[in-house]
Amino acid sequence: MLALRLPREIEKRLDALARKTGRSKSFYAREAILRHIEDLEDYHLAQRRLARGGPRLTLEELEAEVDKAS
């Protein structure tokens, strides 16, 4: 269980979205948290990998390696 206070303007926007779509405010809060947590987890994983050092690849190099493996 989680309770949080939102700024009045955000609460109004969330209320309006919920009314327009027939979804609950909890549904949208849950979705937003899940998406943001995934982004934060990816960010922290990338930071740890960068701190470890080692060789780095460009996107093009990575894509070429993936193409060779398939």
Side-chain angles (χ1 to χ4, degrees):
M1 177 66 164
L2 174 69
L4 65 137
R5 296 186 190 276
L6 295 172
R8 182 176 232 83
E9 185 57 34
I10 300 296
E11 181 78 25
K12 286 180 184 178
R13 291 172 62 192
L14 189 55
D15 279 333
L17 180 62
R19 275 194 312 275
K20 287 177 189 174
T21 63
R23 298 273 192 170
S24 68
K25 293 189 298 183
S26 292
F27 170 82
Y28 288 111
R30 196 169 31 251
E31 286 296 307
I33 290 168
L34 287 172
R35 290 181 184 184
H36 192 65
I37 284 175
E38 289 174 1
D39 290 344
L40 288 171
E41 289 169 338
D42 289 345
Y43 171 79
H44 289 286
L45 175 61
Q47 290 291 15
R48 284 193 306 272
R49 288 185 178 168
L50 281 172
R52 274 195 320 222
R56 296 195 177 124
L57 300 174
T58 65
L59 177 59
E60 290 79 17
E61 292 168 332
L62 179 60
E63 288 172 341
E65 282 193 22
V66 169
D67 287 341
K68 282 193 286 187
S70 3

